[in-house]
Amino acid sequence: MVRRIQKVAVIGSGVMGSGIAAHLANCGFETHLFDIVPNSLTAEEEKAGLTLESPAVRNRFVDSAMQKLLKQKPAPLTTKRSLNNMKTGNLEDDLHELSTVDWIIEVVTENLAIKKSLYDKIESVRTPGTIVSSNTSGISIDAMAEGRSEDFQKNFLGTHFFNPPRYLKLLEVIPSKYTDQAVLDYILAFGEDEIGKGVVLARDTPNFIGNRVGTYGLMVTLQVMRDKGYSVGEVDSVTGPLIGRPSSATMRTLDVVGLDTFIHVANNVYDNTTGAEQKVFEVPDYLAKMVDKGWLGAKSGQGFFVKKGKEILELDIDTFEYVSRKALDTPSIAVAKQQRGLANRVKSLVYAEDRTGELLWNIIAPTLIYSAELNGEISDSILGIDQAMKWGFGWTQGPFEVWDAIGVTQSVARMTKEGYTIPAFVNALLDKGYDSFYATIDDELHYFDGTDYVKVPRNEKAIDLALYKKQNGVLKQNAGASVIDFGDGVLLLEFTSKSNALGLDTMQMLNYALDLLDQSDDFIGLVIGNQSKNFSVGANLAMILMEAEEDNTFELDAVVNAFQQGTLRMKYSNKPVVAAPYNMTLGGGAEVCLAAAHIQASSETFMGLVEVGVGVIPGGGGNKELYMKQLKGLPKGVTVDLLNIASKTFETIATAKTSTSAEEARDNNFLNVADSISVNPDHLLYDAKQAVIGFVAKGYKAPTREKVPVVGEPGYAALLLGAEGLKNSGFASAYDIEIAKKLAYVLAGGLVPYGTLVDEQYLLDLEREAFISLLQNAATQQRMQHMLLKGKPLRN
C-alpha cells in the first residue's frame, strides 16, 4: 500500500522550488524546504561577524527564499499564514529530516550528475516507501533512476510543475520503467484531488509534452519571423488572444521565461533528436547574440522588448536597435473580430490571403503536424497533448482542437499541396471518413485514438455543467439565472446573465428555488454556483444607473428590497444553501455568499464588497452579514468588543478590500473557520453538493433569528474618526468620506445607545435608505458611468 502523503520535503529553494513548496503549503501540507550550505560569506555577513558555521549563514539560501515568497508578484502564497506550514533547513545539518517525510521533490540544477549525487544523499536517510520525484523539465527519468535501490526505483518518478506553480494548472507526471503502478496511480490522483492540478501522464521523452510541443511552436515562430520579414511586434500582435493564446503572445512570453532558459530547453531537444526535427530546435543566430549581450528578457530588463520611459520598444533583429512597436493591420483581422467564437475566428485568420494569414498558417500548420507525429510517443493520446498545451501554456485550444477548428480535410489538402508529409495518425482519421479529432456522441465528448472514437474520461468530481444541463435539462430559467435538478435531491441556482450581474430576474430564480425547497420533500438543499469566467461581478450596474438617472426611487427601492429579502430568505431557509464562489466574487456576488449557510470557495476566489468604487455602499445585506459573520465567529465565552468588529467591517467595506485568494477572504472575514475551500476549481460544484448532503446527513437546522448588538451613537462617532483618518492618510477622496459617513451610520445601527439589540430588518432598512440616497447624488452617478465606460473606479 502506498503511504499517504502528509509531509513533504522540497530540495532546491530557487524560484521553482520555493514556488512548489509554497503551493504545497497553501494546500495545507507540512512542507520542509531545503538547499545547500553556502561556501562563502556575503559582505553583510562578514560585517556582522558571522562565519560559515553560523546558522544564519548555513540556512541563508532557504531563509532568503522564504522572505522572497512574501514579495514576489504574482504572490506564490495564498495567505501569509501558509508560511506556518513551512520550515527551512540545509542538506548537511538537517538531512536526517528527510526520513520523516512522505514525499521528497528534487528541484535542483538540470544536470544529471548533480541530481544523481543528491539521490545518494537522499538514499542514505530516506525511509523505505517514501516517494521521490524530480521536477526536471526534460532529463530522462529512467536515467535518473539508474543505479538506485529497488525500493527507490519503485517509488521514483517525474513530477513536472509549471511556473508559477500556484497559478499554472499543468502537472506532468512521468513514470520511469521501474515505477510501481500503485505509486503512479496514487500520484495521479493526489495531483488532481489534493493539490488541485490538471494532471497529464507523459512518457519519458525529451522535454515531455508541454515543453516539447510548446518549444517547437516557439522555434517555428522565430524562424518564420526571420524568414518572412515580420517584426517582433507584428508577431505578438496576432499570436495572443486573437487566436486564443495568452496576452503575452510569443516574444513577450520568451522575455518572461528568460531567453537563456528557453535556449536550454530547446538545446535539450536538439541534443536528443536528429534530422529535420533537430534542425527546428537549432537556436537562431540573433537569439544567441541576444543572450551573449545579456539581453535575457524581463529578468535583465531587456530582451525582445525594453521599456524606455512610458514607451515599450521592440527589438529590430537585423539592426539590434530598439524601435517603436509595430502591429499587423490587415483586412483579415477586422473580419476575424466579427466572427462568432474562437474557432471561427482562427479559421478565418489561418486561411486569410494577407500577411496575417501567411504568418499564422506558417506557424500553426507545422505545429499541428508535429503534434500529430508525436502522438503515441510523448503521450498516450491527443487528449494529453491538448491538455498540456492548455494547462501549461495557456492556450484556449490544444493543437488538435485547433485542427478541428480550421477543418481537418481542408487543411490537409492545403498541407499536401504545399509538400508537407501528413502523419499516419491523421490519414487514419480521414480514412475512416471523419473530419474531426473530437466528436460529441450521445452527448458525451469523444476523441480519436487512431482506430475510432473513444469517450473522454472524466473524474466524477469534475462536473461539466453545460453537459449536465444538456443531459438533464433545467427546471426553470430566465435571462438572469436557471434552476437545475442537480441530483441526489440537491438544486442548483446558476447565474447566466452577462458577467453574471445580478438583477430582479436573478432574485426571481432564487425565490423559485427556495419555494421548491419549502414545498417539496424531493429536495434537500441548494447550491448556488456556475462555471462562467467569474462567479458574479455584482449587481446589474447599468440597470441601476438607468433607474437612478430617471429618478425612479420607487422602482429602485423595490429592486434593493427584493435583493435584501432574497438573501434574508436564503439565510433562514430550513434547508441548507451552499454558495460556491470562484474568481471574481464582488459586490452582490459576495453578498449572496455571505447569506449562505456555508461557503465552498475555490482556492482562487477574489471576494470583496467593492460598492464604494461606484459611489454606494452594499445594498443586499452585505454590511450586516459581514458584521454578523465576525460576531458569530467568536468563540463562546469571549468578551465581545463590538467597536473592534464594527471598525474592521467598516475598514473592509470603505476601502473596498478584495481578497486575492479564498484564504485571504478568510483573513478578511468573508469566510469563517467552518467554511471550506476547494483546491481544484474543477471539483468546486461537486464539493458544494457534497457539503449540502453532509449538512442534511447531520440533521441541518436553520439558524435562529436573533437580534444584533450594535455600537450605536458612540460607535458612529468613532467610525467617523476612522473615515477622517483614511482621508488624512490619502486613502480616501472627499466623496469617499461622504460614502463612508453613510456606511458608518448603517454599521453603527443609527444613533442608538451602545450595545442596543436591533432586528436585522432594521439594519436592512438603514442600508437600503443609505443606498438609495447615494444613488440620487450626481457624484455617484458619475462613478457608475465611469465604471461602465472605462471598467475602473473614478475617484471624485
Side-chain angles (χ1 to χ4, degrees):
M1 181 180 291
V2 180
R3 183 190 307 166
R4 180 168 174 259
I5 294 174
Q6 300 180 74
K7 185 176 179 181
V8 184
V10 178
I11 303 176
S13 64
V15 171
M16 195 69 208
S18 61
I20 292 171
H23 180 69
L24 294 168
N26 291 336
C27 295
F29 293 94
E30 183 180 344
T31 307
H32 200 148
L33 183 61
F34 290 84
D35 213 318
I36 60 174
V37 174
N39 56 19
S40 62
L41 297 173
T42 64
E44 292 79 8
E45 289 167 344
E46 287 182 351
K47 187 176 180 180
L50 300 176
T51 71
L52 289 175
E53 299 306 313
S54 301
V57 174
R58 297 179 72 77
N59 280 346
R60 183 211 306 155
F61 293 139
V62 281
D63 291 343
S64 174
M66 292 281 277
Q67 291 303 310
K68 290 176 182 176
L69 289 176
L70 296 170
K71 301 174 184 177
Q72 287 176 28
K73 300 293 181 184
L77 299 168
T78 55
T79 171
K80 292 179 181 178
R81 289 184 286 103
S82 293
L83 288 178
N84 296 333
N85 293 331
M86 299 177 69
K87 58 188 285 192
T88 61
N90 65 70
L91 289 172
E92 293 182 16
D93 305 323
D94 307 295
L95 185 66
H96 61 280
E97 292 281 354
L98 294 179
S99 66
T100 68
V101 305
D102 309 302
W103 182 18
I104 300 169
I105 308 174
E106 166 267 300
V107 197
V108 302
T109 303
E110 288 286 76
N111 179 290
L112 180 59
I114 291 174
K115 291 179 183 291
K116 291 180 78 75
S117 175
L118 174 60
Y119 299 156
D120 288 339
K121 290 185 177 182
I122 292 173
E123 282 233 71
S124 70
V125 294
R126 168 186 168 274
T127 302
T130 301
I131 296 171
V132 182
S133 69
S134 174
N135 185 63
T136 179
S137 60
I139 295 179
S140 168
I141 306 302
D142 281 353
M144 286 189 277
E146 290 292 343
R148 305 259 64 93
S149 68
E150 182 181 354
D151 185 80
F152 187 105
Q153 290 177 332
K154 285 171 55 180
N155 290 281
F156 180 74
L157 68 170
T159 51
H160 182 211
F161 291 80
F162 277 62
N163 194 34
R166 173 183 166 186
Y167 300 97
L168 282 187
K169 184 175 180 177
L170 181 60
L171 172 64
E172 292 178 325
V173 174
I174 314 100
S176 79
K177 60 186 178 183
Y178 308 106
T179 306
D180 186 273
Q181 186 64 45
V183 172
L184 175 61
D185 292 343
Y186 177 80
I187 287 293
L188 291 171
F190 178 88
E192 181 177 358
D193 295 341
E194 303 291 334
I195 59 175
K197 290 299 175 185
V199 184
V200 172
L201 179 62
R203 294 186 177 180
D204 189 14
T205 56
N207 285 16
F208 313 128
I209 301 174
N211 279 343
R212 182 77 170 270
V213 175
T215 304
Y216 182 93
L218 291 166
M219 294 299 286
V220 166
T221 305
L222 290 173
Q223 292 173 8
V224 172
M225 181 177 72
R226 159 55 64 83
D227 295 344
K228 301 288 185 179
Y230 291 90
S231 80
V232 165
E234 286 178 331
V235 170
D236 269 16
S237 69
V238 296
T239 58
L242 188 67
I243 61 169
R245 305 281 176 84
S247 57
S248 56
T250 301
M251 304 305 165
R252 178 59 184 157
T253 293
L254 291 174
D255 273 358
V256 171
V257 168
L259 303 189
D260 54 340
T261 301
F262 176 67
I263 287 176
H264 172 80
V265 173
N267 283 339
N268 189 55
V269 184
Y270 182 87
D271 294 338
N272 289 280
T273 53
T274 58
E277 180 182 8
Q278 184 185 57
K279 188 167 180 58
V280 174
F281 289 93
E282 189 175 309
V283 175
D285 56 351
Y286 65 87
L287 191 62
K289 184 177 178 181
M290 290 172 70
V291 172
D292 288 342
K293 282 178 168 288
W295 298 357
L296 307 180
K299 60 186 172 185
S300 66
Q302 67 184 109
F304 284 109
F305 296 100
V306 68
K307 190 171 184 180
K308 297 289 186 182
K310 293 185 177 180
E311 186 180 9
I312 297 176
L313 305 176
E314 66 172 77
L315 180 69
D316 184 316
I317 61 172
D318 293 317
T319 66
F320 263 66
E321 294 179 353
Y322 286 96
V323 298
S324 296
R325 276 191 297 179
K326 304 179 189 70
L328 282 172
D329 182 14
T330 62
S332 65
I333 295 175
V335 171
K337 288 180 178 178
Q338 302 303 314
Q339 298 294 321
R340 187 180 182 89
L342 176 62
N344 289 327
R345 188 164 74 237
V346 171
K347 184 173 185 177
S348 171
L349 288 165
V350 163
Y351 293 121
E353 295 182 357
D354 59 20
R355 292 193 76 225
T356 298
E358 180 185 39
L359 172 65
L360 293 176
W361 173 261
N362 280 288
I363 63 178
I364 288 176
T367 304
L368 299 184
I369 290 172
Y370 187 67
S371 300
E373 288 172 342
L374 292 178
N375 181 50
E377 177 185 337
I378 62 174
S379 172
D380 290 343
S381 72
I382 63 170
L383 194 63
I385 295 174
D386 278 351
Q387 289 173 335
M389 298 315 299
K390 291 191 291 185
W391 296 342
F393 280 74
W395 293 14
T396 305
Q397 298 174 316
F400 295 94
E401 291 170 321
V402 171
W403 214 329
D404 281 354
I406 68 174
V408 180
T409 302
Q410 182 179 356
S411 60
V412 167
R414 179 172 173 181
M415 290 169 179
T416 302
K417 184 177 179 181
E418 294 180 359
Y420 287 101
T421 300
I422 307 304
F425 175 74
V426 181
N427 285 325
L429 177 86
L430 296 174
D431 289 344
K432 291 284 292 187
Y434 300 151
D435 187 42
S436 65
F437 292 102
Y438 292 93
T440 300
I441 302 171
D442 297 330
D443 291 334
E444 292 279 2
L445 186 63
H446 291 62
Y447 69 92
F448 186 68
D449 70 348
T451 302
D452 214 328
Y453 289 120
V454 296
K455 188 188 296 186
V456 172
R458 186 162 44 87
N459 188 324
E460 67 165 347
K461 298 178 182 178
I463 296 170
D464 182 331
L465 189 53
L467 176 61
Y468 186 90
K469 289 194 297 180
K470 190 172 182 180
Q471 293 175 334
N472 299 281
V474 299
L475 297 176
K476 192 172 184 179
Q477 63 185 345
N478 60 23
S482 60
V483 176
I484 302 156
D485 183 339
F486 208 33
D488 300 313
V490 179
L491 291 171
L492 175 72
L493 174 67
E494 176 196 22
F495 303 149
T496 56
S497 64
K498 183 180 180 181
S499 299
N500 287 344
L502 308 178
L504 276 175
D505 46 9
T506 317
M507 290 303 110
Q508 289 170 358
M509 286 297 100
L510 171 61
N511 280 304
Y512 170 76
L514 294 173
D515 286 343
L516 285 178
L517 291 186
D518 288 343
Q519 299 165 11
S520 174
D521 292 334
D522 293 336
F523 299 111
I524 62 172
L526 171 67
V527 169
I528 301 178
N530 56 75
Q531 290 181 335
S532 300
K533 182 179 180 181
N534 297 300
F535 178 76
S536 173
V537 297
N540 187 331
L541 193 60
M543 181 273 293
I544 291 172
L545 176 60
M546 181 181 69
E547 298 291 350
E549 288 177 331
E550 295 180 3
D551 201 24
N552 290 333
T553 305
F554 178 80
E555 288 82 356
L556 284 169
D557 187 85
V559 170
V560 178
N561 186 57
F563 200 138
Q564 290 180 339
Q565 297 311 309
T567 55
L568 196 64
R569 189 179 173 195
M570 269 176 62
K571 180 177 180 179
Y572 292 108
S573 169
N574 287 319
K575 296 175 182 177
V577 177
V578 173
Y582 62 94
N583 294 353
M584 294 294 181
T585 304
L586 305 177
E591 290 180 291
V592 167
C593 294
L594 286 168
H598 181 78
I599 298 175
Q600 182 74 44
S602 172
S603 181
E604 299 299 329
T605 299
F606 315 117
M607 185 179 284
L609 295 170
V610 297
E611 285 84 351
V612 294
V614 290
V616 290
I617 65 170
N623 310 285
K624 163 183 69 74
E625 287 301 334
L626 187 59
Y627 175 69
M628 291 183 70
K629 191 136 188 164
Q630 293 180 69
L631 282 174
K632 288 186 215 169
L634 293 172
K636 290 184 178 180
V638 172
T639 302
V640 178
D641 184 343
L642 292 179
L643 183 57
N644 181 51
I645 292 174
S647 296
K648 285 182 178 178
T649 307
F650 175 81
E651 180 186 353
T652 298
I653 299 173
T655 60
K657 189 179 292 184
T658 304
S659 70
T660 59
S661 69
E663 284 292 358
E664 197 170 276
R666 202 191 300 277
D667 294 339
N668 295 344
N669 300 299
F670 286 92
L671 275 66
N672 59 28
V673 293
D675 292 321
S676 305
I677 296 174
S678 297
V679 295
N680 192 323
D682 295 341
H683 298 179
L684 179 60
L685 290 181
Y686 174 88
D687 293 342
K689 179 180 176 181
Q690 296 309 306
V692 169
I693 294 170
F695 274 118
V696 174
K698 294 174 184 176
Y700 179 78
K701 300 292 183 185
T704 303
R705 187 158 177 166
E706 299 175 348
K707 292 196 172 184
V708 185
V710 294
V711 294
E713 186 171 8
Y716 174 57
L719 293 177
L720 288 181
L721 283 175
E724 287 298 325
L726 289 173
K727 181 181 178 182
N728 295 335
S729 58
F731 289 109
S733 68
Y735 193 57
D736 287 334
I737 298 304
E738 293 305 309
I739 301 168
K741 288 177 181 178
K742 297 279 190 180
L743 174 62
Y745 189 81
V746 171
L747 286 173
L751 303 181
V752 297
Y754 181 94
T756 298
L757 296 173
V758 300
D759 187 74
E760 287 183 64
Q761 187 59 53
Y762 166 79
L763 291 174
L764 288 174
D765 292 342
L766 291 180
E767 177 182 285
R768 191 170 68 257
E769 180 183 344
F771 184 89
I772 292 174
S773 68
L774 285 167
L775 279 176
Q776 295 169 328
N777 195 303
T780 287
Q781 293 177 23
Q782 288 169 4
R783 286 194 175 194
M784 289 186 167
Q785 290 166 348
H786 191 271
M787 178 61 75
L788 288 169
L789 289 172
K790 305 289 186 179
K792 57 184 178 181
L794 171 69
R795 302 302 299 276
N796 55 353

